[in-house]
């Protein structure tokens, strides 16, 4: 994962996290990986009143980044991620390495076997 994030940053791609975890959960469960420095924004359940599958968290992150949904890709591994991304107007990339099989994922815009594959889908 770190290699993928580093390559995205090298290509000046803005990267954000949109999670259903609270600020406290993110601090306790994510910070020890040391990847926070690679993200331009982190949106948690503490930041918005509506949560996935509502598009509000993704739209909030995109607004803060100054990015347009139609020019963005949201990578996720759940149906809630997919619905939130699609409702926000962003492309959805299924992270197959973390997703459980679900026939609804057939409507994903992109299907990724590995994190590095996202690099093939960037302009």
């Amino acid at each position: 994962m770190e290699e993928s994030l580093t390559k995205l940053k090298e290509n000046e791609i803005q990267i954000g996290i949109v999670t259903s975890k609270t600020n406290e959960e993110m601090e306790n469960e994510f910070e020890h990986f040391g990847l926070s420095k690679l993200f331009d924004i982190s949106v948690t359940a503490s930041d918005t009143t509506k949560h996935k599958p509502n598009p509000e968290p993704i739209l909030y992150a995109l607004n803060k980044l100054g990015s347009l949904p139609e020019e963005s890709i949201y990578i996720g591994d759940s149906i809630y991620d997919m619905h939130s991304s699609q409702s926000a107007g962003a492309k959805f990339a299924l992270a197959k390495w973390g997703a459980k099989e679900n026939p609804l994922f057939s409507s994903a815009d992109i299907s990724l076997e590995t994190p590095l594959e996202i690099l093939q889908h960037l302009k």
Side-chain angles (χ1 to χ4, degrees):
M1 187 59 66
E2 185 173 4
E3 181 182 4
S4 299
L5 295 171
T6 300
K7 287 185 184 283
L8 289 169
K9 293 309 292 178
E10 288 170 356
N11 285 288
E12 299 181 5
I13 303 294
Q14 291 183 312
I15 308 170
I17 296 175
V18 177
T19 180
S20 298
K21 296 182 183 303
T22 63
N23 285 341
E24 183 180 357
E25 290 169 325
M26 276 297 286
E27 191 172 311
N28 293 336
E29 299 172 22
F30 184 76
E31 293 299 323
H32 67 277
F33 292 111
L35 300 175
S36 295
K37 64 187 179 293
L38 296 172
F39 292 91
D40 298 295
I41 190 169
S42 178
V43 176
T44 70
S46 304
D47 296 314
T48 60
T49 56
K50 296 180 182 172
H51 311 292
K52 295 185 282 184
N54 188 286
E56 184 178 318
I58 292 175
L59 292 172
Y60 177 85
L62 291 174
N63 182 55
K64 291 286 189 185
L65 291 170
S67 300
L68 298 172
E70 60 270 18
E71 297 175 353
S72 302
I73 301 172
Y74 183 84
I75 302 171
D77 62 6
S78 76
I79 292 299
Y80 292 135
D81 291 331
M82 185 174 75
H83 290 308
S84 184
S85 176
Q86 291 171 337
S87 294
K91 286 184 181 176
F92 176 70
L94 175 63
K96 290 182 78 175
W97 61 89
K100 294 180 181 168
E101 292 283 327
N102 190 318
L104 295 176
F105 284 137
S106 63
S107 67
D109 300 294
I110 300 167
S111 185
L112 303 172
E113 295 289 336
T114 67
L116 279 173
E117 284 182 29
I118 192 59
L119 299 171
Q120 301 167 15
H121 298 277
L122 304 176
K123 295 180 183 178

